[in-house]
Amino acid sequence: MQIYMVGGAVRDMVRNIEPQDRDFVVVGGTCEEMLAKGFECVGKDFPVFLHPKTKEEYALARKEIKTGDKHTDFKFVFDASVTLEEDVVRRDFTCNALVYDLESAEIIDLVGGKKDIENKIIRHINSEHFVEDPLRVLRMCRFAAQLDFTIAPETMELAQKMVGEGMLKHLTAERVWQEIYKALNTKHFSKFILAMRDCGALKVILPEVDKLWQMPEILQYHPEGNSGNHTILVLEKGEKLPPLTKYALLLHDIGKIKTEKEVLPHHYMHDINGAHIVQKIGKRLKVPKAFTQAAYTAALYHMRFFKVPDMRLGKLRDFVAAVTNDFRDENLLNLLIKVSFCDMCGRALEPSIEEQAYYKKAVELCRQVFVILSSLKATDMPNFDKLPKNATFATKWREYQIEQLQKNKNF
């Protein structure tokens, strides 16, 4: 029985990056031997063992036999006769197929992974095995974003063929979202979207986003030409932001796809339309509620945010109340502030001094309103005990809040 370290940990070693998670493959071993050594067996489809002390994962070397169209339709062979070479050739990309020999402290490269890592290239190992799992198309795009690598032409061509043959329709919403979420955690999420578009997967998985490239922008405000290019620039501006905010950035202008024959100034009503589309995407891909809420907030309110400095107190109060769910969620306000900044700066045109001043004023006003009104209690209202607790109470409560803003010297 021989044990090797495999996968991303070895790839990171070659890139001089400290491995975060280590995985191991066991060649020539059996389930009985692993259990006898104190390993804990986990995994439904094939046996994966947890080390009794480190809890790191050890998998028996295996071969896979395709049994159906779904990415989960495989029969696994993991007996002691499976060789290291057979285990390696079933893996997805050369950069992920390096093996580290624990005894000799040497890296075994059976598929040219070292060279591809040096040249920053994502390349599939075996076409026959690659097409058996359509999820690898999304993984290809995700690794391009995660590693900031370029996809090899033959690998992109193979992915395009798989998409063209309709293989992605067999993917479940859960697995699709899992890959999107992993990509959102990378620094170069925009590269994931562009790679998805290049291979045709974006049109299948997120057709609404793909249509943004068909939506011309008003060149006076967006010299980048169309809403798709603008979205990419916005994502690049927010590359260091959390996944939740990146997802909001991706869909902030999704409502612009409503206009097909003509482009109205600033894509009239694209905020309301966008909020509706965000909800449809959320249901289709089973997106977690927090992500849908973030994208909904960004789509619905990012245009109105820049009108904040011109709002009267009542309208300003209502705007902040709507964004923060009646002053209960400051995180949504902070998210909108970040989205609006990236939207302003994510263009092929530098924001003017006036735009920057307007943005800063909007931030200041929104935060002041939130701080003041989130500290108020309905019981602070004069004659609270005597006020009828009916439909008119909400009106009185709003009027009281506006009065408190008027008393503040900063308004």
Side-chain angles (χ1 to χ4, degrees):
M1 185 169 69
Q2 294 174 297
I3 298 177
Y4 303 92
M5 186 164 66
V6 295
V10 188
R11 180 194 66 223
D12 290 343
M13 287 174 59
V14 174
R15 299 174 67 215
N16 296 316
I17 297 175
E18 184 69 26
Q20 296 297 314
D21 297 304
R22 304 194 310 167
D23 294 308
F24 301 86
V25 63
V26 180
V27 178
T30 65
C31 293
E32 291 74 18
E33 287 179 289
M34 297 299 288
L35 293 173
K37 292 179 178 293
F39 283 79
E40 177 188 356
C41 184
V42 296
K44 296 180 180 179
D45 299 322
F46 54 85
V48 174
F49 299 88
L50 300 182
H51 191 280
K53 293 183 180 179
T54 66
K55 301 303 178 182
E56 292 173 320
E57 291 189 358
Y58 289 66
L60 296 180
R62 66 182 187 271
K63 295 186 294 184
E64 298 168 351
I65 301 174
K66 188 69 172 173
T67 59
D69 292 328
K70 296 180 180 180
H71 74 278
T72 54
D73 290 340
F74 284 98
K75 176 183 177 182
F76 299 98
V77 178
F78 47 84
D79 58 43
S81 67
V82 179
T83 66
L84 179 63
E85 290 78 7
E86 288 174 322
D87 183 86
V88 166
V89 77
R90 71 170 177 80
R91 297 179 181 270
D92 49 12
F93 307 108
T94 59
C95 63
N96 294 334
L98 297 174
V99 179
Y100 181 71
D101 190 323
L102 298 176
E103 292 184 3
S104 65
E106 293 179 346
I107 292 177
I108 301 172
D109 184 3
L110 301 173
V111 292
K114 275 187 177 181
K115 184 177 180 181
D116 282 341
I117 290 174
E118 291 171 1
N119 294 325
K120 296 186 175 183
I121 292 175
I122 300 292
R123 192 190 313 276
H124 71 283
I125 297 172
N126 181 287
S127 296
E128 182 179 350
H129 286 303
F130 191 84
V131 299
E132 290 176 342
D133 186 358
L135 189 67
R136 286 178 169 176
V137 174
L138 305 190
R139 283 170 58 83
M140 173 193 77
C141 301
R142 195 244 301 173
F143 277 117
Q146 179 179 326
L147 304 174
D148 196 19
F149 281 15
T150 301
I151 299 169
E154 65 269 26
T155 302
M156 177 59 75
E157 184 179 344
L158 183 59
Q160 290 169 343
K161 181 181 178 182
M162 293 169 67
V163 173
E165 293 177 353
M167 295 182 68
L168 268 59
K169 69 181 180 181
H170 300 295
L171 296 175
T172 65
E174 290 84 358
R175 294 307 299 273
V176 169
W177 172 253
Q178 186 178 33
E179 286 301 319
I180 293 174
Y181 178 72
K182 289 178 180 178
L184 284 165
N185 279 276
T186 69
K187 183 179 180 181
H188 303 284
F189 178 65
S190 61
K191 195 163 188 172
F192 172 78
I193 297 299
L194 290 173
M196 289 263 285
R197 186 166 182 261
D198 287 344
C199 71
L202 190 63
K203 193 171 185 178
V204 178
I205 302 300
L206 284 168
E208 301 89 349
V209 175
D210 188 69
K211 287 180 182 178
L212 287 173
W213 273 267
Q214 302 171 22
M215 296 296 107
E217 290 278 7
I218 301 172
L219 297 182
Q220 178 184 353
Y221 305 105
H222 293 282
E224 57 271 18
N226 61 64
S227 301
N229 289 339
H230 167 60
T231 298
I232 292 299
L233 292 175
V234 169
L235 287 172
E236 290 175 348
K237 196 67 183 179
E239 64 182 12
K240 295 182 181 179
L241 295 175
L244 203 69
T245 311
K246 287 182 185 176
Y247 185 70
L249 292 175
L250 175 67
L251 301 183
H252 82 283
D253 266 352
I254 202 67
K256 289 182 177 180
I257 66 173
K258 179 181 180 181
T259 306
E260 296 180 355
K261 295 183 179 179
E262 62 179 347
V263 179
L264 300 173
H266 292 286
H267 300 266
Y268 181 66
M269 296 290 285
H270 84 265
D271 51 354
I272 297 173
N273 186 49
H276 175 66
I277 294 173
V278 164
Q279 291 177 318
K280 288 178 62 178
I281 293 173
K283 291 180 180 178
R284 186 179 74 242
L285 294 182
K286 299 183 179 179
V287 177
K289 290 182 180 179
F291 282 81
T292 295
Q293 178 65 60
Y296 179 93
T297 300
L300 186 57
Y301 298 117
H302 76 279
M303 285 296 294
R304 302 182 209 181
F305 178 81
F306 287 98
K307 298 177 182 179
V308 163
D310 297 322
M311 290 181 182
R312 293 183 178 180
L313 278 184
K315 195 169 184 179
L316 177 56
R317 177 265 169 209
D318 294 344
F319 175 78
V320 178
V323 171
T324 62
N325 292 322
D326 290 326
F327 311 105
R328 291 194 297 268
D329 196 341
E330 187 176 8
N331 290 330
L332 286 173
L333 177 60
N334 291 331
L335 178 139
L336 180 63
I337 288 171
K338 292 173 183 176
V339 168
S340 299
F341 177 80
C342 294
D343 184 35
M344 177 180 68
C345 298
R347 302 179 294 171
L349 179 72
E350 288 292 325
S352 66
I353 295 176
E354 291 78 10
E355 286 176 316
Q356 294 180 56
Y358 243 67
Y359 170 79
K360 291 180 181 178
K361 186 63 176 176
V363 172
E364 179 185 348
L365 288 171
C366 285
R367 285 184 169 156
Q368 285 181 356
V369 168
F370 181 83
V371 169
I372 293 171
L373 299 190
S374 63
S375 66
L376 297 180
K377 297 179 181 179
T379 53
D380 297 332
M381 297 170 62
N383 302 314
F384 170 78
D385 295 333
K386 298 180 181 179
L387 289 173
K389 305 305 185 290
N390 52 28
T392 63
F393 182 83
T395 302
K396 294 291 183 180
W397 173 225
R398 178 178 178 273
E399 291 173 353
Y400 175 74
Q401 290 175 319
I402 296 172
E403 287 175 5
Q404 298 309 303
L405 292 177
Q406 290 172 332
K407 290 180 180 180
N408 190 286
K409 63 180 180 181
N410 292 321
F411 288 101

